[in-house]
Amino acid sequence: MSIKRALVSVSNKEGLVPFVQALAEQGVEIISTGGTSKALQEAGVKVTGISEVTGFPEIMDGRVKTLHPMIHGGLLAVRDNESHVQQMEENGISPIDLVVVNLYPFKETIAKENVAFEDAIENIDIGGPSMLRSAAKNHAYVTVVVDPADYSKVLEEVQQNNQVSDETRKKLAAKTFRHTAAYDALIAEYLTNMVEEENPESFTVTYEKKQDLRYGENPHQKAAFYKAPLGTKTSIAQAEQLHGKELSYNNINDADAALQIVREFTDPAVVAVKHMNPCGVGTGSSVEEAFARAFEADPVSIFGGIIASNVEINAAAAQKMSEIFLEIIIAPSFSTEAKEILTKKKNIRLLTLELGEDKKQEKKLTTVRGGLLVQDEDAYGLDQANISVPTKREPTEKEWEDLKLAWKVVKHIKSNAIVLTKDQMTIGVGAGQMNRVGAANIAIEQAGEKAQGSALGSDAFFPMDDTVEAAAKAGITAIIQPGGSVKDEDSIKKADEYGIAMVFTGVRHFKH
């Protein structure tokens, strides 16, 4: 399948001119359109205009130029099919051996703030995907290139053999269909959101590879990390790594969990995470104060953990952090002194990313074998809840502060979840238990004597009064939970019996 004739039409002109110049030097005829043709001619490349091939002008502001039998016949003809060859000869159609096309910048257009709907629509490419699909379908005879990164490979084979190998053509065809599928998925997502279709009959998404990973959760599992093309800026996928070796699969999961929690806070906050659950959360008037409390919450589990801060890491905090083994520290920024302190540790990863208010909500996707669950993010905050106090005693001002902290944290802990808080920090975390009182007992045991005078947060209602009983015996004085159990009255009576203030929110925060 020697390369004699190439059709070139690109929006992304990176590396285009030297590639096409080299093809022309190999005797390849170059057909081109619009801006691409102009760029090549200005570089001294001899170009045949698309209208010369079709015998028809580009019309409708360029919307119609390549949708023509002289083009698609040259792309789709089966070269060893006598009928196809005869029809080409009868209609004066010449074969096209190489297609170099990339598409209108739809993603870049809709990424612009306040982009007009009309502008988005005008940047939906029609002719480009049609040519790509025709060429990729007929890859037994046609080479198709959508990515400038593939120019060198194609050129090398053309220069050596005047053709492209069957293996390379197949790989390029597969890449082309991935490319057009991703392009169409973005368009579908944009228009679906525009018409506010909640749960469409088919769900199409696309992600771009950020990096290959050494392995997955375990060394025997292969893995890679992909990012949403237009994902939120407050995402681990958008983080900039300043120091340390590359992130692992588990690092990324844990870092994401830490970020989701720390985004709940406006005052300085530090979150320590192990195995997707917080082992310590602290707030304060400064980052060093917040870190001290997060460390004190669980000085054992924080070893080898992931730290996220919602404010800059300064020298004082960095010095304390450097005294223990941490896998990752994530923050909006690091002071010069903090970087100097922390980068002395070879293996620690330092990451920065924006942590400002991000109103963009993303769908949460969870795979099951052979299927996909799709739901909204759990962005429900306490300020949206229907707060009520069913007990005789109202929480004190200090208890309210502890309860608010407990509520912000417990929604991010694997269910069944209980968290104890006191003095701007977590003091006990019970995660992922099969029954609620079991989670409470774990949190209480971890808190020890600190449980006296603390607050308890529960991600879901109490099916029985045993959790309140356990809390009372530990000296817990305030509880926040959704309410809604058929046995709520039992829990209320038990709380009143021990003088515990209990708050109902009406909002459940299961996390599986």
Side-chain angles (χ1 to χ4, degrees), residues 61-351:
D61 299 318
R63 281 189 168 201
V64 180
K65 52 192 173 188
T66 59
L67 297 170
H68 195 281
M70 300 298 286
I71 301 300
H72 287 273
L75 293 175
L76 285 166
V78 176
R79 310 289 174 82
D80 54 5
N81 182 311
E82 291 184 8
S83 175
H84 285 202
V85 172
Q86 181 181 347
Q87 290 174 61
M88 289 178 72
E89 291 174 352
E90 290 172 352
N91 291 283
I93 298 173
S94 298
I96 298 171
D97 311 302
L98 172 64
V99 170
V100 183
V101 169
N102 52 59
L103 307 175
Y104 292 173
F106 180 78
K107 181 181 78 171
E108 292 77 8
T109 300
I110 63 173
K112 296 174 184 175
E113 192 171 351
N114 299 320
V115 62
F117 179 71
E118 294 75 15
D119 290 340
I121 295 301
E122 280 307 308
N123 277 279
I124 296 176
D125 203 328
I126 301 300
S130 299
M131 289 187 290
L132 289 175
R133 290 174 61 82
S134 291
K137 174 177 179 175
N138 206 29
H139 66 269
Y141 309 97
V142 182
T143 301
V144 57
V145 184
V146 295
D147 186 351
D150 294 317
Y151 289 170
S152 58
K153 171 65 175 173
V154 170
L155 184 59
E156 180 185 358
E157 293 194 22
V158 171
Q159 289 174 332
Q160 289 181 357
N161 307 306
N162 198 34
Q163 62 180 359
V164 177
S165 68
D166 181 61
E167 180 184 5
T168 299
R169 290 197 309 276
K170 285 180 179 177
K171 287 182 177 179
L172 291 172
K175 188 172 190 176
T176 295
F177 281 117
R178 292 196 300 272
H179 183 75
T180 56
Y183 192 79
D184 284 341
L186 275 177
I187 297 168
E189 181 182 9
Y190 175 77
L191 291 174
T192 299
N193 290 337
M194 286 295 295
V195 299
E196 299 181 344
E197 184 76 58
E198 280 293 322
N199 295 299
E201 73 291 339
S202 61
F203 186 74
T204 53
V205 293
T206 184
Y207 289 83
E208 300 168 351
K209 187 159 77 171
K210 182 177 174 71
Q211 68 188 86
D212 288 309
L213 300 174
R214 297 191 303 278
Y215 53 83
E217 281 184 293
N218 300 291
H220 60 274
Q221 294 172 272
K222 294 180 180 178
F225 184 26
Y226 290 80
K227 66 178 181 179
L230 298 174
T232 171
K233 293 180 180 178
T234 58
S235 159
I236 186 63
Q238 301 295 333
E240 178 187 356
Q241 187 164 346
L242 305 180
H243 177 74
K245 59 186 179 181
E246 70 177 31
L247 300 179
S248 70
Y249 182 99
N250 292 333
N251 289 156
I252 293 166
N253 264 325
D254 286 340
D256 178 65
L259 285 172
Q260 299 316 308
I261 302 171
V262 85
R263 287 181 61 230
E264 296 278 353
F265 299 91
T266 52
D267 292 335
V270 171
V271 175
V273 163
K274 286 288 287 292
H275 301 292
M276 298 283 285
N277 281 306
C279 56
V281 178
T283 64
S285 59
S286 64
V287 64
E288 59 267 33
E289 190 173 71
F291 174 71
R293 288 180 174 136
F295 175 81
E296 184 185 346
D298 190 344
V300 175
S301 298
I302 198 173
F303 184 85
I306 279 75
I307 296 292
S309 168
N310 63 349
V311 294
E312 180 177 86
I313 303 296
N314 60 23
Q319 186 58 52
K320 290 296 183 183
M321 292 176 181
S322 70
E323 293 170 5
I324 60 173
F325 169 56
L326 296 171
E327 289 270 9
I328 301 171
I329 303 174
I330 314 167
S333 57
F334 294 79
S335 72
T336 302
E337 296 83 359
K339 275 193 279 191
E340 289 175 355
I341 292 167
L342 293 168
T343 52
K344 290 177 183 177
K345 305 192 81 170
K346 180 181 178 182
N347 291 326
I348 195 169
R349 289 91 153 183
L350 305 181
L351 280 73

Side-chain angles (χ1 to χ4, degrees), residues 19-33:
F19 175 55
V20 177
Q21 283 176 330
L23 289 173
E25 290 169 4
Q26 291 292 117
V28 178
E29 179 190 355
I30 307 299
I31 306 166
S32 192
T33 65

